[in-house]
Amino acid sequence: MRILRYLGVLFLNLFFNFWGSVPAWILLVMHFVRGWPIIWFWLALAAWIAGIMIYMHVIGALVYLGNTDQPENKNKNPYSHKERNGK
C-alpha cells in the first residue's frame, strides 16, 4: 500500500509541475522536425522526473526529521499567571 501512496504523490507532483517537462517536449518536436536523436527527449524527461523525485525525498526527509517529540519544559516566565500566584 505504501508504494501506491508513493506513486500517487509522485503523479500528483508530476501533474502540478508539468511545466518543468516543456524542454523535453520541445526536444521531442525537434526530433520529428529536425531529426535530432530521440535520446535527448528521454534524457530530459528522466531528468525532470528525477528532479521531482529528489525534491519529494528532500521534503519528506525534512518533515520526518522535524517531527520529533519535544521535551516538556518548566515554565520559567516570571510574568506567567502560574508563577505569579505560586501555583
Side-chain angles (χ1 to χ4, degrees):
M1 286 315 236
R2 291 185 71 176
I3 189 71
L4 293 177
R5 185 172 48 197
Y6 177 79
L7 289 175
V9 171
L10 176 63
F11 288 131
L12 193 62
N13 274 309
L14 292 176
F15 175 74
F16 284 138
N17 296 304
F18 175 76
W19 291 108
S21 69
V22 169
W25 300 112
I26 291 172
L27 288 171
L28 182 65
V29 169
M30 294 305 287
H31 165 71
F32 289 112
V33 173
R34 296 280 187 175
W36 289 8
I38 192 77
I39 191 70
W40 294 114
F41 163 73
W42 290 113
L43 288 175
L45 199 62
W48 171 62
I49 292 172
I52 296 294
M53 289 176 68
I54 290 170
Y55 174 77
M56 283 175 45
H57 286 277
V58 167
I59 295 298
L62 291 175
V63 168
Y64 176 76
L65 293 173
N67 286 339
T68 58
D69 291 333
Q70 297 292 325
E72 189 172 330
N73 294 330
K74 183 180 177 191
N75 188 0
K76 296 180 182 179
N77 185 356
Y79 300 106
S80 174
H81 181 67
K82 289 183 180 180
E83 291 293 326
R84 191 171 43 213
N85 292 335
K87 291 183 181 178

